Amino acid sequence: MSRAPEHGPDHWHRRGVIAGAALLALIVCGLALADLFGDSTTTWVPLLATVPALAATAGGPRTVLCAGLLAGGLGVGLCLRHDAPDRTLGMTLAALVVVTLACGLTSALRRRRERVLAAVRSVAEAAQHALLQPVPPTVGPFQVAVRYSAAAAEARIGGDLYALVSTPHGVRLIVGDVRGKGLPAVSMAALVVAVFQEAAHDEPDLLDVVARIERSLARNLGPDDFVTAVAAGYPRPGELEVVNCGHAPPLLVRDSAVLPVEPDRPAPPLGLRALSGETPGLQVLPFADGDQLLLYTDGVTEARNHDRSFYPLAEGLARHICDEPVETVTALHGELLHHVGGHLHDDAALMLLRKPVPAEQTRPAPATPRDAGRVGSLSA
């Protein structure tokens, strides 16, 4: 699975410690200089309490203790320099001891929570790899690129799902979005992926694969839950099968044109068939060498910028399309993050499939009139 480059938690922790130490040193030096060169009637001793408090924001209990000792030593020096009464000196030291102990306890509790968060994050990473297994760059006759981003960055996992497998019935894939968030959505996503991977090998008909997912969800979904999904298969050379269950239409790229693959017969999301009585239809599309298919979730197309404008995925795909799916998906993901200001508010998944042109052939000729009519109907 391809993910956006990001700095790990250790990187940001080190930067926080360095920044905190630098600010701590500036405060100590500033207080000392202010006392040496400032008005002799002004006392800076009360500000020394900020030294252990600041140390607690980035360091551990030992760092807080060292900062408290440093502040105490400086406080004693300042009080002696100004011939402060013994009562003032005692109150200063007592205040610094109390602040240091309180900040040390806070720092210890924060460190404990950080360890718990690290453990939860490692479990989430393991769950993500089990649910959304990495996709190799080549599967069967296709070049493949995947990019997944969870809105909950600490969890690293969400309700969007994808899977791509090579089966005796050809390459098959699914991209979907579970209604809701949190652990229930993750659980449903795991169920869909598991059933799809099993049924994709067993069922010769792609509609039967979708039906098995529907039956499994009917036994496990709540009354208000559902899953939108697009399943696709490549059973024969030159033909691509698509089953859309209430999901955003995939984008077909052919001869530099980007065309939405609108379903011939709209079908409800998975889990709602019993309520509507409608069944999805099977679309068969010509898929020649050089053609590409982009599947995605609504976290991409519904991402808004500060002007509340949606991200124009089809236009972005037309700008960044190339013969390397990884480069295309990386450029799309980067543009998407720029569009929303760097942080997604919903899970987002992109999967790009490309049928490469054999090295000994030139790029295929434009679509025949018969194929052109079929492709043209996709944009209707």
Side-chain angles (χ1 to χ4, degrees):
M1 178 176 56
S2 178
R3 293 184 60 87
E6 57 183 355
H7 295 298
D10 292 338
H11 170 82
W12 295 113
H13 178 71
R14 288 193 298 270
R15 292 189 62 176
V17 170
I18 294 173
L23 186 56
L24 183 65
L26 287 175
I27 290 178
V28 172
C29 293
L31 291 176
L33 292 175
D35 184 79
L36 289 175
F37 299 104
D39 186 358
S40 59
T41 61
T42 303
T43 177
W44 299 92
V45 172
L47 293 180
L48 291 174
T50 62
V51 175
L54 179 62
T57 61
R62 292 183 180 178
T63 304
V64 174
L65 178 60
C66 292
L69 292 175
L70 176 62
L74 182 59
V76 171
L78 294 179
C79 288
L80 293 178
R81 182 175 182 274
H82 293 287
D83 295 326
D86 293 343
R87 180 181 177 184
T88 301
L89 178 59
M91 291 179 63
T92 299
L93 292 178
L96 285 174
V97 169
V98 172
V99 172
T100 300
L101 291 177
C103 292
L105 177 61
T106 301
S107 176
L109 293 176
R110 192 195 73 248
R111 284 295 182 89
R112 181 179 179 182
R113 288 194 297 268
E114 287 176 350
R115 288 193 293 269
V116 172
L117 177 60
V120 172
R121 181 182 292 144
S122 65
V123 172
E125 291 282 2
Q128 182 186 41
H129 285 291
L131 171 59
L132 304 177
Q133 298 179 359
V135 175
T138 301
V139 178
F142 298 109
Q143 296 172 284
V144 185
V146 176
R147 181 61 60 97
Y148 175 85
S149 296
E154 294 297 342
R156 310 289 182 90
I157 191 169
D160 286 3
L161 62 98
Y162 65 82
L164 189 147
V165 293
S166 181
T167 74
H169 315 293
V171 173
R172 286 176 168 175
L173 59 102
I174 188 172
V175 170
D177 187 0
V178 179
R179 177 188 178 276
K181 300 182 183 297
L183 291 178
V186 174
S187 177
M188 287 299 102
L191 175 63
V192 172
V193 170
V195 175
F196 169 79
Q197 290 176 336
E198 183 73 17
H201 285 84
D202 295 343
E203 304 291 349
D205 193 326
L206 186 62
L207 284 174
D208 292 335
V209 175
V210 174
R212 278 182 58 171
I213 300 175
E214 176 72 34
R215 290 193 297 270
S216 181
L217 288 176
R219 294 190 297 268
N220 294 278
L221 282 179
D224 298 325
D225 296 332
F226 58 85
V227 180
T228 67
V230 172
Y234 191 72
R236 293 169 295 278
E239 287 188 354
L240 190 71
E241 297 178 343
V242 177
V243 178
N244 192 325
C245 298
H247 199 75
L251 297 177
L252 176 66
V253 181
R254 173 171 298 159
D255 296 329
S256 301
V258 178
L259 305 169
V261 185
E262 299 286 356
D264 294 333
R265 185 174 63 192
L270 296 168
L272 299 181
R273 184 183 301 183
L275 299 178
S276 66
E278 299 178 359
T279 58
L282 182 71
Q283 290 179 272
V284 180
L285 312 174
F287 202 72
D289 295 340
D291 288 351
Q292 303 190 48
L293 186 73
L294 178 68
L295 297 96
Y296 54 93
T297 59
D298 59 9
V300 178
T301 52
E302 295 182 1
R304 296 174 181 260
N305 60 10
H306 63 280
D307 294 328
R308 307 301 295 168
S309 300
F310 294 114
Y311 175 64
L313 178 59
E315 297 175 12
L317 181 59
R319 281 192 299 270
H320 299 295
I321 196 67
C322 67
D323 292 343
E324 294 296 332
V326 172
E327 296 181 9
T328 301
V329 170
T330 300
L332 283 175
H333 186 265
E335 189 173 83
L336 174 65
L337 290 179
H338 178 74
H339 180 80
V340 299
H343 177 69
L344 292 170
H345 298 285
D346 194 5
D347 305 328
L350 293 163
M351 177 183 287
L352 183 60
L353 215 67
R354 179 177 184 268
K355 183 69 165 59
V357 180
E360 66 276 8
Q361 297 180 5
T362 59
R363 187 169 182 82
T368 63
R370 175 175 176 270
D371 285 345
R374 296 179 69 181
V375 174
S377 66
L378 300 178
S379 59

